[in-house]
Amino acid sequence: MTAQQTLIPPVIWAQRNDVVYVTICVEDSKNPDVKIETDQIVFHSVAGLEQKVYDITIPLYAAVEPENSKTTVGGRYIELVLKKPSTDTKYWPQLTKEKKKYHWLKVDFKKWKDESDSEDEAAAGGVGGLGGDGGNIDDMLSMMGGGAGDPKFGGLGGGLGGDYNIPSDEDSDDEEMPELDDIESETAGKGKEKSGETLPSLEEVKPNTTA
C-alpha cells in the first residue's frame, strides 16, 4: 500500500492593528490539530469523505500571543485570530517570515482594511470579527474544483495572480474610468456630426398641390 499524499491547504489572511486573521480552507475537518505558537502556525488534519491529509507550517512575520489568540473550527474552514503584542501593533508587510510567493496563500479582501481604516475602526469601538460572507473562501474552493487541497491547486499560482502574500493595487476590482476631457470631446464630436447634416429645403418638403 502506498502512503497517502499530504496536501497543503489554501490559506487566506487579513489584519488589523491588533490582530491577524488567518483562514485555513479545509472542508469537513474533524478534530484538526492546530497549534498557534509565538512565531508560527502548525496545522494538521484529516478531512473529507476521502480522508485527505493536510499539513502546513506557517512561519509568521512577527511574534503573536498564543494565549490571547483564538481558533474556530467551521464546516468549510478553520479560522484563527492571532493577537499581536500590545507593544507592537504596526501593520505587517506580509503574513510570512520571508517575503516569498506562495501558491497556497491569498489576501482575504473581504476582511482586509488599510492601516488608517483599522485605526478609525478601533477609535469607533468596532472590532472586525470572524465570519463574513465567505466569498473569498468560495472562490478558493471553486478554483480547486470544489474540494480544498485538491492536488491540482498546486498549479494555480499564476491563476491566483501571483503573490497574494502582500496586497497590491493590481488586486483591486476597480475598473479604470475614462478621463472627463475624453468624454466631453466625444460628446462635442457627436454634436458637430448632427449639426453638419444638410437640412432639406422648404420647397422639397412642401406638398404638391393640385388645381
Side-chain angles (χ1 to χ4, degrees), residues 107-121:
V107 170
D108 188 351
F109 287 105
K110 299 294 183 182
K111 290 180 183 175
W112 187 273
K113 286 185 180 292
D114 292 333
E115 189 166 6
S116 57
D117 295 332
S118 177
E119 292 172 353
D120 293 340
E121 181 182 71

Side-chain angles (χ1 to χ4, degrees), residues 101-194:
K101 293 182 179 181
Y102 299 97
H103 68 269
W104 46 266
L105 182 60
K106 179 179 179 181
V107 170
D108 188 351
F109 287 105
K110 299 294 183 182
K111 290 180 183 175
W112 187 273
K113 286 185 180 292
D114 292 333
E115 189 166 6
S116 57
D117 295 332
S118 177
E119 292 172 353
D120 293 340
E121 181 182 71
V127 178
L130 294 173
D133 57 17
N136 274 355
I137 297 170
D138 290 337
D139 292 342
M140 296 283 276
L141 294 175
S142 64
M143 283 188 289
M144 296 183 302
D150 192 300
K152 293 183 292 183
F153 184 78
L156 288 177
L160 289 175
D163 188 1
Y164 269 81
N165 197 2
I166 309 166
S168 67
D169 293 338
E170 295 179 357
D171 299 320
S172 174
D173 293 332
D174 296 337
E175 296 181 0
E176 184 177 352
M177 299 297 292
E179 295 291 339
L180 182 59
D181 292 341
D182 295 339
I183 298 175
E184 291 177 348
S185 298
E186 183 178 352
T187 304
K190 291 180 179 179
K192 289 180 180 179
E193 290 175 4
K194 291 183 178 180

Side-chain angles (χ1 to χ4, degrees), residues 4 22 39 61 95 130 144 175-176:
Q4 187 172 6
V22 177
D39 58 350
Y61 173 79
L95 174 65
L130 294 173
M144 296 183 302
E175 296 181 0
E176 184 177 352

Side-chain angles (χ1 to χ4, degrees), residues 188-203:
K190 291 180 179 179
K192 289 180 180 179
E193 290 175 4
K194 291 183 178 180
S195 62
E197 295 178 356
T198 304
L199 295 176
S201 65
L202 183 59
E203 295 297 330

